[in-house]
Amino acid sequence: MRILIAEDDELILKTIEYKLQKEGYEVIVTRNGKDAIETINNTQVDLIITDIMMPFASGTEILTAVTALGKKIPIIMLSSLGQEEVVLDAFALGASDFMVKPFSPNELILRIKRLAH
């Protein structure tokens, strides 16, 4: 399973990348929304983990790009903003799941496994 991580916080990015690789997943890392969208356009990915607030393109723009391509890729949205409006907007745009930072890497793995089946 190939997972794209779109996250501009280096510590969170490295933590997720390490945990996913340890679990045996193939990981592609991007540090901004523009690179994430380019990767989605050019590479087969099975799941996307994206922060909402990122440089050049937001997580919601990534979600919109995936929908526009007609791809059915599960997307887990991450945000330090846990306001109900942000969460509801993410789900309305088609997010598969939403996690508020900080979160447990072990919980993230469980959610990935749930979405992968």
Side-chain angles (χ1 to χ4, degrees), residues 70-106:
K71 295 188 176 189
K72 298 283 185 210
I73 304 170
I75 301 176
I76 299 175
M77 304 291 282
L78 307 176
S79 180
S80 54
L81 307 170
Q83 292 111 331
E84 183 178 7
E85 182 181 320
V86 175
V87 176
L88 294 176
D89 285 349
F91 282 121
L93 288 170
S96 307
D97 207 342
F98 189 98
M99 295 184 75
V100 177
K101 298 176 192 177
F103 56 85
S104 158
N106 291 329

Side-chain angles (χ1 to χ4, degrees), residues 1 15 45 70 88 95 104:
M1 179 177 214
T15 301
V45 295
L88 294 176
S104 158

Side-chain angles (χ1 to χ4, degrees), residues 6-8 30-37 40 48-66 75 77-78 86 93:
E7 172 61 68
D8 62 331
T30 60
R31 289 171 175 79
N32 66 65
K34 182 176 155 280
D35 290 347
I37 291 169
I40 293 161
I48 300 167
I49 300 169
T50 181
D51 188 12
I52 287 184
M53 302 292 285
M54 280 190 304
F56 307 118
S58 68
T60 51
E61 288 173 289
I62 293 169
L63 194 53
T64 303
V66 170
I75 301 176
M77 304 291 282
L78 307 176
V86 175
L93 288 170

